[in-house]
Coordinates of all heavy atoms in Angstrom, one line a residue:
A62 N -172.0 119.1 -167.9 CA -171.3 120.1 -168.7 C -170.4 120.9 -167.7 O -170.7 121.1 -166.6 CB -172.2 121.0 -169.5
A63 N -169.2 121.4 -168.2 CA -168.3 122.1 -167.4 C -169.0 123.3 -166.7 O -168.7 123.6 -165.5 CB -167.1 122.5 -168.1
P64 N -169.8 124.1 -167.4 CA -170.5 125.2 -166.7 C -171.3 124.8 -165.4 O -171.4 125.6 -164.4 CB -171.4 125.7 -167.7 CG -170.8 125.5 -169.1 CD -170.1 124.1 -168.8
Q65 N -171.7 123.5 -165.3 CA -172.3 123.0 -164.1 C -171.4 122.8 -162.9 O -171.8 122.7 -161.8 CB -173.0 121.7 -164.3 CG -174.2 121.8 -165.4 CD -174.8 120.4 -165.6 OE1 -174.4 119.7 -166.4 NE2 -175.8 120.1 -164.7
L66 N -170.1 123.0 -163.2 CA -169.0 122.9 -162.2 C -168.5 124.4 -162.0 O -167.5 124.6 -161.4 CB -167.9 122.0 -162.6 CG -168.4 120.5 -162.8 CD1 -167.2 119.8 -163.5 CD2 -168.8 119.9 -161.5
G67 N -169.1 125.3 -162.6 CA -168.7 126.7 -162.4 C -167.5 127.0 -163.3 O -166.8 128.0 -163.1
I68 N -167.3 126.1 -164.3 CA -166.1 126.3 -165.2 C -166.6 126.6 -166.6 O -167.4 125.9 -167.2 CB -165.4 124.9 -165.3 CG1 -164.8 124.6 -163.9 CG2 -164.2 125.1 -166.4 CD1 -164.3 123.2 -163.8
N69 N -166.3 127.9 -167.0 CA -166.8 128.5 -168.2 C -166.1 127.9 -169.5 O -165.5 128.7 -170.3 CB -166.7 130.0 -168.1 CG -167.5 130.7 -169.2 OD1 -168.5 130.2 -169.5 ND2 -167.0 131.9 -169.7
K70 N -166.2 126.6 -169.7 CA -165.6 126.0 -170.9 C -166.6 125.0 -171.7 O -167.4 124.5 -171.0 CB -164.4 125.1 -170.5 CG -163.3 125.9 -169.9 CD -162.1 125.1 -169.4 CE -161.0 125.9 -168.9 NZ -159.9 125.0 -168.3
K71 N -166.5 125.1 -173.0 CA -167.3 124.1 -173.8 C -166.8 122.7 -173.7 O -166.3 122.1 -174.7 CB -167.3 124.6 -175.3 CG -168.2 125.9 -175.3 CD -168.5 126.3 -176.9 CE -169.3 127.5 -177.0 NZ -170.7 127.3 -177.5
L72 N -167.1 122.1 -172.6 CA -166.7 120.7 -172.4 C -168.0 120.0 -171.8 O -168.7 120.6 -170.9 CB -165.6 120.6 -171.3 CG -164.2 121.2 -171.7 CD1 -163.3 121.2 -170.5 CD2 -163.7 120.4 -172.9
A73 N -168.2 118.8 -172.2 CA -169.4 118.1 -171.8 C -169.1 116.6 -171.7 O -168.3 116.0 -172.6 CB -170.6 118.3 -172.6
A74 N -169.7 115.9 -170.7 CA -169.5 114.5 -170.6 C -170.9 113.8 -170.7 O -171.9 114.3 -170.0 CB -168.8 114.1 -169.3
I75 N -170.9 112.7 -171.4 CA -172.2 112.0 -171.5 C -171.9 110.4 -171.3 O -170.9 110.0 -171.8 CB -172.9 112.2 -172.8 CG1 -173.4 113.7 -172.8 CG2 -174.0 111.2 -173.1 CD1 -173.8 114.2 -174.2
H76 N -172.8 109.8 -170.4 CA -172.5 108.3 -170.2 C -173.9 107.8 -170.0 O -174.6 107.9 -168.9 CB -171.7 108.1 -169.0 CG -171.4 106.7 -168.8 ND1 -170.3 106.1 -169.5 CD2 -171.9 105.8 -168.0 CE1 -170.3 104.8 -169.1 NE2 -171.2 104.6 -168.2
V77 N -174.4 107.2 -171.1 CA -175.7 106.6 -171.0 C -176.0 105.4 -172.1 O -175.2 105.4 -173.0 CB -176.8 107.6 -171.3 CG1 -176.8 108.1 -172.8 CG2 -178.3 107.2 -171.0
E78 N -176.7 104.5 -171.7 CA -177.1 103.4 -172.6 C -178.5 103.7 -173.2 O -179.3 104.1 -172.5 CB -177.2 102.1 -171.9 CG -175.9 101.3 -171.9 CD -176.1 99.9 -171.3 OE1 -177.1 99.3 -171.4 OE2 -175.1 99.4 -170.7
D79 N -178.6 103.5 -174.5 CA -179.9 103.6 -175.1 C -180.8 102.4 -174.9 O -180.3 101.4 -174.2 CB -179.9 104.0 -176.6 CG -179.4 102.9 -177.5 OD1 -179.3 101.7 -177.0 OD2 -179.0 103.3 -178.7
S80 N -182.0 102.4 -175.4 CA -182.9 101.3 -175.1 C -182.4 100.0 -175.7 O -183.0 98.9 -175.4 CB -184.4 101.7 -175.6 OG -184.3 102.1 -177.0
N81 N -181.5 100.1 -176.6 CA -181.0 98.9 -177.3 C -179.7 98.3 -176.6 O -179.1 97.4 -177.1 CB -180.7 99.1 -178.7 CG -182.0 99.4 -179.5 OD1 -183.0 98.9 -179.3 ND2 -181.9 100.4 -180.4
G82 N -179.3 99.0 -175.5 CA -178.1 98.7 -174.9 C -176.9 99.2 -175.4 O -175.7 98.9 -175.0
K83 N -176.9 100.2 -176.4 CA -175.8 100.9 -176.9 C -175.3 101.9 -176.0 O -176.0 102.7 -175.6 CB -176.1 101.4 -178.3 CG -174.8 102.1 -178.9 CD -175.1 102.7 -180.3 CE -173.9 103.4 -180.9 NZ -174.0 104.1 -182.1
L84 N -173.9 101.9 -175.6 CA -173.4 102.8 -174.8 C -172.9 104.1 -175.4 O -172.2 103.9 -176.5 CB -172.2 102.1 -174.0 CG -171.5 103.0 -173.0 CD1 -172.4 103.5 -171.8 CD2 -170.3 102.3 -172.5
Y85 N -173.3 105.2 -174.9 CA -172.8 106.4 -175.4 C -172.0 107.1 -174.3 O -172.5 107.5 -173.3 CB -174.0 107.4 -175.8 CG -174.8 107.0 -176.9 CD1 -175.8 106.0 -176.7 CD2 -174.6 107.5 -178.3 CE1 -176.6 105.6 -177.8 CE2 -175.4 107.0 -179.2 CZ -176.3 106.1 -179.0 OH -177.1 105.7 -180.1
S86 N -170.7 107.0 -174.4 CA -169.8 107.5 -173.3 C -168.8 108.3 -173.9 O -167.9 107.9 -174.6 CB -169.1 106.4 -172.6 OG -168.5 106.8 -171.4
Y87 N -168.9 109.6 -173.8 CA -168.1 110.6 -174.5 C -167.7 111.8 -173.6 O -168.4 112.2 -172.7 CB -168.9 111.2 -175.6 CG -169.2 110.3 -176.8 CD1 -170.4 109.7 -176.9 CD2 -168.2 110.0 -177.8 CE1 -170.7 108.8 -177.9 CE2 -168.5 109.2 -178.9 CZ -169.7 108.6 -178.8 OH -170.0 107.8 -179.9
G88 N -166.4 112.2 -173.8 CA -165.9 113.5 -173.3 C -165.9 114.4 -174.5 O -165.2 114.1 -175.5
L89 N -166.7 115.4 -174.5 CA -166.8 116.2 -175.7 C -166.2 117.5 -175.6 O -166.3 118.2 -174.5 CB -168.3 116.4 -176.1 CG -169.2 115.2 -176.2 CD1 -170.7 115.6 -176.3 CD2 -168.8 114.5 -177.6
V90 N -165.4 117.9 -176.6 CA -164.7 119.3 -176.7 C -165.4 120.1 -177.7 O -165.6 119.7 -178.8 CB -163.3 119.1 -176.9 CG1 -162.5 120.5 -176.9 CG2 -162.7 118.0 -176.0
N91 N -165.9 121.3 -177.3 CA -166.6 122.2 -178.2 C -167.6 121.6 -179.0 O -167.8 121.7 -180.2 CB -165.6 122.9 -179.2 CG -164.5 123.6 -178.4 OD1 -164.6 124.2 -177.4 ND2 -163.3 123.5 -179.0
P92 N -168.6 120.8 -178.4 CA -169.7 120.2 -179.1 C -170.7 121.3 -179.7 O -171.0 122.2 -179.1 CB -170.4 119.4 -178.1 CG -170.2 120.1 -176.7 CD -168.8 120.8 -176.9
K93 N -171.1 120.9 -180.9 CA -172.0 121.8 -181.6 C -173.0 121.1 -182.4 O -172.6 120.1 -183.1 CB -171.1 122.8 -182.6 CG -171.9 123.8 -183.2 CD -171.0 124.7 -184.1 CE -171.8 125.8 -184.7 NZ -171.0 126.8 -185.4
I94 N -174.2 121.4 -182.4 CA -175.3 120.8 -183.4 C -175.1 121.4 -184.7 O -175.2 122.7 -184.8 CB -176.7 121.0 -182.7 CG1 -176.9 120.2 -181.5 CG2 -177.7 120.5 -183.7 CD1 -178.1 120.6 -180.6
I95 N -174.8 120.6 -185.6 CA -174.5 121.2 -187.0 C -175.8 120.9 -188.0 O -175.9 121.5 -189.0 CB -173.3 120.5 -187.8 CG1 -173.2 119.1 -187.8 CG2 -172.1 121.1 -186.9 CD1 -172.1 118.5 -188.7
S96 N -176.6 119.9 -187.6 CA -177.9 119.8 -188.3 C -178.9 119.2 -187.4 O -178.5 118.4 -186.4 CB -177.7 119.1 -189.6 OG -177.4 117.7 -189.4
H97 N -180.2 119.4 -187.7 CA -181.3 118.7 -186.9 C -182.4 118.5 -187.8 O -182.7 119.2 -188.8 CB -181.5 119.6 -185.7 CG -182.0 120.9 -186.0 ND1 -183.3 121.2 -186.4 CD2 -181.4 122.1 -186.0 CE1 -183.4 122.5 -186.6 NE2 -182.3 123.1 -186.5
S98 N -183.3 117.6 -187.3 CA -184.6 117.3 -188.0 C -185.6 118.4 -187.7 O -185.5 119.2 -186.8 CB -185.2 116.0 -187.5 OG -185.4 116.1 -186.1
V99 N -186.5 118.5 -188.6 CA -187.7 119.3 -188.3 C -188.6 118.8 -187.3 O -189.1 119.4 -186.4 CB -188.5 119.6 -189.6 CG1 -189.8 120.4 -189.3 CG2 -187.7 120.4 -190.7
E100 N -188.6 117.4 -187.3 CA -189.5 116.8 -186.4 C -188.9 116.9 -184.9 O -187.6 117.0 -184.7 CB -189.5 115.2 -186.7 CG -190.3 114.4 -185.7 CD -190.1 112.8 -186.0 OE1 -189.2 112.5 -186.7 OE2 -191.0 112.1 -185.5
K101 N -189.8 117.1 -184.0 CA -189.4 117.4 -182.7 C -189.7 116.0 -181.7 O -190.3 115.2 -182.1 CB -190.3 118.4 -182.0 CG -190.1 119.8 -182.8 CD -188.9 120.4 -182.4 CE -188.8 121.9 -182.9 NZ -187.6 122.5 -182.6
S102 N -189.1 116.1 -180.5 CA -189.3 115.0 -179.6 C -189.3 115.7 -178.2 O -189.0 116.9 -178.1 CB -188.3 113.9 -179.7 OG -187.0 114.4 -179.3
Y103 N -189.7 114.9 -177.2 CA -189.7 115.4 -175.8 C -189.7 114.2 -174.9 O -190.1 113.1 -175.2 CB -190.8 116.3 -175.5 CG -192.2 115.7 -175.6 CD1 -192.8 115.1 -174.7 CD2 -192.8 115.6 -176.9 CE1 -194.1 114.4 -174.7 CE2 -194.0 114.9 -177.0 CZ -194.7 114.4 -175.9 OH -195.9 113.8 -176.1
L104 N -189.1 114.4 -173.7 CA -189.1 113.3 -172.8 C -190.5 113.1 -172.1 O -190.9 114.2 -171.5 CB -188.1 113.5 -171.6 CG -186.6 113.0 -171.9 CD1 -185.8 113.2 -170.7 CD2 -186.5 111.6 -172.5
S105 N -191.1 112.1 -172.1 CA -192.5 111.9 -171.6 C -192.6 112.3 -170.2 O -193.5 112.6 -169.6 CB -193.1 110.6 -172.0 OG -192.2 109.6 -171.8
S106 N -191.4 112.0 -169.5 CA -191.4 112.1 -168.1 C -190.8 113.6 -167.6 O -190.7 113.9 -166.5 CB -190.4 111.1 -167.5 OG -189.1 111.2 -168.1
G107 N -190.5 114.4 -168.7 CA -190.0 115.7 -168.4 C -188.5 115.6 -168.2 O -188.0 114.5 -168.1
E108 N -187.7 116.6 -168.2 CA -186.3 116.6 -168.0 C -186.0 117.1 -166.7 O -186.7 117.8 -165.9 CB -185.6 117.5 -168.9 CG -185.6 117.0 -170.5 CD -184.8 117.8 -171.4 OE1 -183.8 118.4 -171.0 OE2 -185.1 117.8 -172.6
G109 N -184.8 116.7 -166.1 CA -184.3 117.1 -164.8 C -182.8 117.6 -165.1 O -182.3 117.4 -166.2
C110 N -182.3 118.0 -164.1 CA -180.8 118.6 -164.2 C -180.1 118.5 -162.8 O -180.8 118.8 -161.8 CB -180.9 120.0 -164.7 SG -179.3 120.8 -164.9
L111 N -178.8 118.1 -162.9 CA -178.0 118.0 -161.6 C -178.0 119.4 -160.9 O -177.7 119.5 -159.7 CB -176.8 117.4 -161.8 CG -176.8 115.9 -162.3 CD1 -175.4 115.5 -162.8 CD2 -177.2 115.1 -161.1
S112 N -178.1 120.5 -161.7 CA -178.0 121.8 -161.2 C -179.3 122.4 -160.8 O -179.4 123.5 -160.3 CB -177.4 122.8 -162.2 OG -176.1 122.4 -162.5
V113 N -180.4 121.6 -160.9 CA -181.7 122.1 -160.4 C -182.2 121.2 -159.4 O -182.4 120.0 -159.7 CB -182.6 122.2 -161.7 CG1 -184.0 122.6 -161.3 CG2 -182.1 123.1 -162.8
D114 N -182.4 121.6 -158.2 CA -182.9 120.9 -157.0 C -184.4 120.8 -156.9 O -184.8 120.4 -155.9 CB -182.2 121.4 -155.7 CG -180.7 121.2 -155.7 OD1 -180.2 120.2 -156.3 OD2 -180.0 121.9 -155.1
R115 N -185.1 121.3 -157.9 CA -186.6 121.2 -157.8 C -187.1 120.5 -158.9 O -186.4 120.3 -159.9 CB -187.2 122.7 -157.7 CG -186.8 123.5 -159.0 CD -187.2 125.0 -158.8 NE -186.7 125.7 -160.0 CZ -187.4 126.0 -161.0 NH1 -188.8 125.7 -161.1 NH2 -187.0 126.7 -162.0
N116 N -188.3 120.1 -158.8 CA -189.0 119.4 -160.0 C -189.6 120.3 -160.8 O -190.5 121.1 -160.3 CB -190.0 118.4 -159.4 CG -190.7 117.5 -160.4 OD1 -190.0 117.2 -161.5 ND2 -191.9 117.0 -160.2
V117 N -189.2 120.4 -162.1 CA -189.8 121.4 -163.0 C -190.7 120.7 -163.9 O -190.4 119.7 -164.6 CB -188.7 122.1 -163.9 CG1 -189.3 123.2 -164.8 CG2 -187.7 122.8 -162.9
E118 N -192.0 121.0 -163.8 CA -193.0 120.3 -164.5 C -193.1 120.9 -166.0 O -192.9 122.1 -166.2 CB -194.4 120.7 -164.0 CG -194.5 120.2 -162.5 CD -194.8 118.7 -162.4 OE1 -195.6 118.2 -163.1 OE2 -194.1 118.1 -161.6
G119 N -193.3 120.0 -167.0 CA -193.5 120.4 -168.3 C -192.6 119.7 -169.3 O -191.6 119.0 -169.0
F120 N -193.0 119.7 -170.5 CA -192.3 119.0 -171.7 C -191.4 120.0 -172.2 O -191.6 121.2 -172.4 CB -193.3 118.6 -172.8 CG -194.2 117.5 -172.3 CD1 -195.6 117.6 -172.7 CD2 -193.9 116.5 -171.5 CE1 -196.5 116.6 -172.3 CE2 -194.7 115.5 -171.1 CZ -196.1 115.6 -171.5
V121 N -190.1 119.5 -172.6 CA -189.1 120.2 -173.1 C -188.9 119.9 -174.6 O -188.4 118.8 -174.9 CB -187.7 120.0 -172.4 CG1 -186.6 120.9 -173.0 CG2 -187.9 120.3 -170.9
P122 N -189.4 120.7 -175.5 CA -189.2 120.4 -177.0 C -187.8 120.3 -177.4 O -187.0 121.2 -177.1 CB -190.0 121.5 -177.7 CG -190.2 122.6 -176.7 CD -189.9 122.1 -175.4
R123 N -187.5 119.2 -178.1 CA -186.1 119.0 -178.6 C -186.2 118.6 -180.0 O -187.3 118.1 -180.4 CB -185.4 117.8 -177.8 CG -185.2 118.2 -176.3 CD -184.1 119.2 -176.1 NE -183.9 119.4 -174.7 CZ -183.0 120.3 -174.2 NH1 -182.4 121.2 -175.0 NH2 -182.8 120.4 -172.9
H124 N -185.1 118.6 -180.7 CA -185.0 118.0 -182.1 C -185.0 116.4 -182.0 O -184.3 115.9 -181.1 CB -183.9 118.4 -182.9 CG -183.8 120.0 -183.0 ND1 -184.7 120.7 -183.8 CD2 -183.0 120.8 -182.5 CE1 -184.5 122.0 -183.7 NE2 -183.4 122.1 -182.9
A125 N -185.8 115.8 -182.9 CA -185.9 114.3 -182.8 C -184.5 113.7 -183.2 O -184.1 112.7 -182.7 CB -187.1 113.8 -183.7

Side-chain angles (χ1 to χ4, degrees):
Q65 292 180 270
L66 299 169
I68 299 168
N69 195 34
K70 294 178 180 176
K71 286 192 180 245
L72 298 171
I75 290 169
H76 187 80
V77 67
E78 268 187 34
D79 69 12
S80 54
N81 299 320
K83 180 178 177 184
L84 179 64
Y85 295 81
S86 188
Y87 291 97
L89 302 169
V90 183
N91 303 324
K93 183 178 183 173
I94 296 169
I95 57 168
S96 68
H97 60 78
S98 62
V99 172
E100 183 185 17
K101 301 282 190 184
S102 65
Y103 61 95
L104 276 186
S105 47
S106 57
E108 289 185 28
C110 180
L111 294 168
S112 293
V113 178
D114 291 330
R115 61 190 173 98
N116 186 26
V117 179
E118 301 280 319
F120 295 139
V121 181
R123 299 285 187 187
H124 300 292

